[in-house]
Amino acid sequence: MALTDSTAGNVIRDYSIEQLQDAANLMRGYDLVALCAAGSGHAGGTLSIMDIAAALYLKVANHDPKNPSWPGRDRIIWSTGHKAPSLYLGLAVAGFCPVEDVMTLRKLGSPYQGHPHWLKLPGVEVSTGSLGQGLSIAVGIALAAKLDGKPYKTFCLMGDGEQQEGQIWEAAMEAGHFHLDNLIGIIDCNRLQIDGWVKDVMDVEPLCAKYGSFGWDVMRIDGHDMNQVVDALQQAKAPTGKPVVILADTVKGKGVSFMQDQAGWHGKAPNLEELGRALKELGLSERIPVQQLLDKANCYQAEVEHKLDSKMPKFTRDYWWNGAKTMKVKMEPTRKGFGQSLAANGDDERVVCLGLDISGSITISDFYSGKPERKKRWISMGIAEQSATSAAAGLAKEGKLPVLGTYATFAAARNLDQIRTSVCYGNFNVMIAGAHGGVSVGPDGATHQALEDLFAMQGLPNMSVVVPCDVEETRKATNYLLLQHVGPKYIRFAREATPVVTNEKTPFVFGKANVIRLRGEAAGFSDAFETCLAAGYKNESEDLSIIACGPMVPEAMRAAYILKREYGYESRILNVHTLKPLDEEAIIRAAHDTGVVVTAEEHQIGALAWRVSAVLTESPELYGLPIVTGAIGVRDRFGDSGAPWELIKEFEVSAEHIAHKAAELMAFKKKRAEEKREEREHLFYAGMR
Ligand SMILES: Cc1ncc(C[n+]2csc(CCOP(=O)(O)OP(=O)(O)O)c2C)c(N)n1
C-alpha cells in the first residue's frame, strides 16, 4: 500500500519511479526556498535525504493525509531532527498540509519549527532535535505494536554522524534482542557531519558489520537511486524475525554543485542569489513560484512582528538597542570570548580540548586554529557528549586541564549523570562550556535552547557556575576558570551578538558581583555607566535593585535607563556573573538598601531568582524588612523557533519587561508606604482623642 484513504481502505495515489524522482527534485527546490526565507537551516542534510523522504512519504509508508493519526498508519521517526524540512515537504507533497505553509519554516509560532514538534504539526510522529534519541523511541513504538498485535511498521531516519551517540547502540541492541522485525532503520550515509568527514571526526564504520552483530538484517544501497531506495524500503517491510537497517549512501548537498560534499553547507541557508543558482541547477527556475512563496513567508513574518510589538510594554518613546542617536552599543557574540581565551592560553601543555562536532560555532576550534602544534591536544570525540564527559574526568585525573563544550543543553543535560558522578563526585578539574544558552539561540527552536541547565549545574556539589554578560567578560571568565580555578566548572554563554558592556578595565573577580550604576546619558551606551566591585560600593540609597546574570545584564542596564528617563528612578544593578558561589553579601546589601529587588535571567525563572529568594529569606540582616521582589525569566515554557531578538520579546526577557516589572514593584512600594503613613496618622489622632 502507500498513500491511503483509511476510511475506504484504498490507495489514493501510487507514484511511479519517475514521478518519485520528479517529486524529490521539486522537494529539494521547495526546501531551498524555505531555508532562504528562514535565513537559516540545514541545506546539506535535507538535500541528501530527500530521495528517501519522497519514497517513504509518497510510496512506501501506509498513511492517510486526511487522517494523520489513523491508528493503522506506519510510523516515521526523524531521529535526524535537523532535517525537518525534508519531513515537512514529504508531508506537504503527500497532501497533509499546503506546500506554501512550509515557507513559514523556523519563524516564531510556526508549526514548521527548526526541529520537528509533533504537538504542533499533524503527521509528525515525535519531537526530536537532540540527536541519537529517535531509534529508542522507534523501539518503544515497535514494541507497542508487538504488544498490541498491530501490523504497522516503524521507520527511523538517522544520520551517519549521529551513529556516534551511544544511545543509538543501546537501542540497536534492544531491537536485536527483541527481534523487532517491524522496525526499519535508515541511515543517511552522506559521510559528512559538522566538523568534517565522519571518518576523521569519529569513524563509525563498518556499520554493516556493527548492525549485523547486533542482530539486524543490513542492506546497503545508493540512496539517490530511486529504484534501489523503493526496493529496499519495500523489502524491509517483509518480516524476517529481525530488525532491518538500510545504509543509504548519499551525497550531502545532493543536486546543487556548490553544496555537494561541502561541510560548510551543513547548517547554512542559501541567500537569494545562491537560491537562484541552485534552482537553475535543479531545473526548477520556471517551476517553483519563488516570489510568491517568499511573499507568503514575509506576510507571516509581518504578522509575527505586529503581534510581538503589540505585546511589548510601552513607554513614552522607543528604547530598543541602537534605536536613538545616543547610547549606541556595539554587539558581539559572547561565545567569541571563549575562543579568544582558549587561543591565548592554549600553549599550556596541560590544556586539552574535546570536540563534540560543533567546534567552529562555539569557537572551541580557536584553540587549534592556525596552531598545528596544538592539534595533538585537540581530541575530537564526535557527537558523544556522555562518553566525552567521563573521558574528560579521566584526563583531569591524570593532570590535564580538559575543556569540552557544545550547545548548553547537550553540554549540561544530555550528560548530567556523567557530570554528576564522573566529574563532580570525583571533584575533577573539568571545564564544561554550555554554549548557545537561552532562547536567543533562535530559529533552531526549543530542543536547542537550554533553559534549565543552570538548575542542574548549580545543584551539583563541587561545581562552580559562571554566566558572563558579554564577550569581554566571557574571555576573562574563561581565563580564570581555565588556569586558576581548580575543580568542576561550568561556563554558560550566548550564541547571538549581544551588547558589549564591559571592557578590559572592568573588574572581574570570581564569586564577587559588580555594581553597575547609570551616571547619565552618553554617546556610547557603556560610557553612561560606572562599574565597581560590589564589595567596594557605597550605598547611594537607590530606589530599586536589579540583579542579573549573562545577557540579561545589558538588558538590566537598558532597563535602568528606561526607569530613570520615564520615572526618575535610580537603580542599582548587580551583575552576578558567578552564580555559584553566589555573592550573598552583595545581594543582602542591595535588598537592604533599596527594598525592591528584580531578578533577570535568560533561563526558566529560578536559577537566579530562587537563589536570590533563598538569600533574602535566610539572612538575619533582612528579617522583618519590607522587601518586594519580582522575577524576569522564562515562565515554565519550552522555547520556540524565531529570530533571537524576537524570542527575547516573546519570552518577556527584555529591558522593557524588566523596567515594567520594576515600575510595578515601585508603585507597590509607594502604595504600602502611603498606607503605613495613613496608619501612623490614624494611630496618632486616635491617641489624641
Ligand atoms: C545530542 C546532540 N548533539 C549535538 C547536536 C548538534 N548537531 C546537529 S546536526 C549535527 C551533525 C549531525 O551529523 P549527521 O548525523 O551525519 O547528519 P548530516 O551530516 O547528514 O546532517 C550535530 C552535531 C544535536 N542536534 N544533538
Side-chain angles (χ1 to χ4, degrees), residues 82-83 129 131 160-162 165 190 192 252 357 385 410:
H82 59 288
K83 296 176 195 174
L131 293 170
D160 49 0
E162 189 183 4
E165 284 287 1
N190 59 28
L192 273 170
K252 205 159 175 175
D357 193 34
E385 297 82 2
F410 310 135

Side-chain angles (χ1 to χ4, degrees), residues 42 44-45 48 80 82-83 115 129-132 158-163 165 188 190 192-194 198 252 266 356-358 383 385 406-407 410 414 448:
H42 299 85
S48 66
T80 180
H82 59 288
K83 296 176 195 174
H115 292 78
S130 181
L131 293 170
M158 297 171 274
D160 49 0
E162 189 183 4
Q163 303 303 304
E165 284 287 1
D188 180 14
N190 59 28
L192 273 170
Q193 54 188 117
I194 297 180
V198 175
K252 205 159 175 175
H266 169 86
L356 294 170
D357 193 34
I358 181 97
I383 316 167
E385 297 82 2
T406 172
Y407 283 84
F410 310 135
R414 180 62 177 246
H448 285 54

Side-chain angles (χ1 to χ4, degrees), residues 391-433:
L395 285 159
K397 179 161 190 324
E398 299 307 320
K400 303 294 177 199
L401 296 180
V403 182
L404 70 149
T406 172
Y407 283 84
T409 186
F410 310 135
R414 180 62 177 246
N415 50 352
L416 180 55
D417 188 39
Q418 284 78 6
I419 298 177
R420 178 178 184 269
T421 308
S422 300
V423 177
C424 288
Y425 190 42
N427 199 18
F428 287 122
N429 194 13
V430 172
M431 179 161 175
I432 300 171

Side-chain angles (χ1 to χ4, degrees), residues 49 53 57 76-81 83-84 86-87 116 126 128-129 134 157:
I49 207 167
Y57 280 85
I76 307 175
I77 311 304
W78 285 74
S79 192
T80 180
K83 296 176 195 174
S86 309
L87 150 62
V126 295
T128 50
L157 295 156

